[in-house]
Amino acid sequence: EEEDFQVVYQPLMDASGEIASFEALLRMGDRSLSPLEFIPVAENSGLMVPIGRYVLHEVARQLSVWKGQNLEVKPVAVNISARQVYEGNLLETVVEALKKYHLDPSLLEIEITESILIENSTFAIEELGALRKMGIAISLDDFGTGYSSLSYISKIPIDILKIDKSFIDNITGNKRAKVMIESIINIARAYSMSVVAEGVETKEQVEMLTSLGCDIVQGYYYSRPNPL
């Protein structure tokens, strides 16, 4: 109500060093509160659904502005919570935003975590499948950290696997982390998925990931999330 939220954008970079897409992230005007603090409160209070709708519409509006400025528009990923899927009519909200701002669905990506699939995987898979049929890419965040990753990977409609930062942190000095990343990349290739490495902070990490065949990297090495 007080318009205290702000959507910031972090670029995802391809192997050539060009921007491949962006991830939209939510911040509050009171920067002393991190998303790790206010997102759980929003989830538990029931406010995550209207907040999620706001983010989707704000991203769609910004994409429309970029199009109107004749800029080269890249896809933007929006994080979706389980509550948005089960309580917030996600499909209808996405369609509404795309129609309102006259956007091609390929400009929007939906980013999920495994928690969405725990409560009612059949319903979630149907919803995500419908979005994917529209031309919206689906990415799975924090891959490799959840107990159900491998059991769901063949069932859910995913286009992009995002490797968790905890693996990236140790890639240059830990052989097991390197092997794990290489295994995730091989899994993605087998299912015709792209791979994103999150939390990349050093040139050495970028070089190692590139040598392993990682498609896209994201992290402070290139840019922090920034307001427009």
Side-chain angles (χ1 to χ4, degrees):
E1 291 176 351
E2 297 180 3
E3 299 182 353
D4 199 34
F5 286 114
Q6 181 182 37
V7 178
V8 296
Y9 297 84
Q10 186 175 35
L12 283 69
M13 315 298 291
D14 64 21
S16 67
E18 298 294 321
I19 294 175
S21 61
F22 292 92
E23 180 179 355
L25 298 161
L26 193 63
R27 298 291 184 266
M28 288 191 71
D30 182 357
R31 294 307 181 94
S32 63
L33 281 177
S34 78
L36 294 177
E37 294 172 292
F38 70 76
I39 292 296
V41 174
E43 291 274 9
N44 294 329
S45 66
L47 289 174
M48 199 62 242
V49 171
I51 290 173
R53 183 180 183 277
Y54 159 77
V55 174
L56 274 167
H57 275 260
E58 179 60 21
V59 168
R61 184 197 66 79
Q62 186 57 56
L63 283 164
S64 179
V65 169
W66 285 332
K67 279 185 61 181
Q69 295 172 338
N70 294 318
L71 298 174
E72 183 183 4
V73 183
K74 301 291 186 179
V76 177
V78 177
N79 293 276
I80 298 299
S81 74
R83 284 191 179 272
Q84 287 174 266
V85 174
Y86 298 117
E87 301 173 18
N89 298 316
L90 175 63
L91 183 59
E92 290 85 350
T93 300
V94 170
V95 170
E96 177 188 40
L98 293 173
K99 286 184 176 179
K100 180 176 180 179
Y101 294 103
H102 309 288
L103 292 177
D104 189 303
S106 64
L107 291 177
L108 189 65
E109 296 178 4
I110 296 298
E111 189 165 311
I112 65 169
T113 62
E114 288 177 11
S115 62
I116 286 178
L117 303 166
I118 301 303
E119 185 175 337
N120 187 338
S121 61
T122 300
F123 178 77
I125 289 169
E126 290 175 354
E127 287 283 287
L128 296 172
L131 290 168
R132 198 163 178 249
K133 285 181 181 178
M134 292 169 52
I136 296 172
I138 308 296
S139 63
L140 180 61
D141 197 15
D142 302 333
F143 183 76
T145 61
Y147 68 90
S148 59
S149 291
L150 292 178
S151 65
Y152 280 123
I153 197 66
S154 63
K155 301 178 183 178
I156 54 180
I158 296 175
D159 301 283
I160 304 162
L161 287 184
K162 300 191 76 173
I163 304 174
D164 188 69
K165 183 180 184 298
S166 60
F167 296 112
I168 309 304
D169 288 341
N170 299 316
I171 189 174
T172 57
N174 186 315
K175 185 177 180 180
R176 290 187 176 183
K178 179 182 175 182
V179 170
M180 179 64 73
I181 290 171
E182 193 168 15
S183 298
I184 293 173
I185 292 172
N186 288 335
I187 290 170
R189 293 284 179 270
Y191 286 97
S192 300
M193 300 172 186
S194 298
V195 184
V196 174
E198 297 184 283
V200 176
E201 298 182 350
T202 69
K203 182 179 179 181
E204 290 74 21
Q205 290 173 343
V206 172
E207 291 174 345
M208 180 71 75
L209 288 163
T210 300
S211 71
L212 293 176
C214 184
D215 301 308
I216 301 167
V217 299
Q218 175 184 5
Y220 288 0
Y221 177 73
Y222 285 105
S223 175
R224 291 176 176 268
N226 288 306
L228 299 175

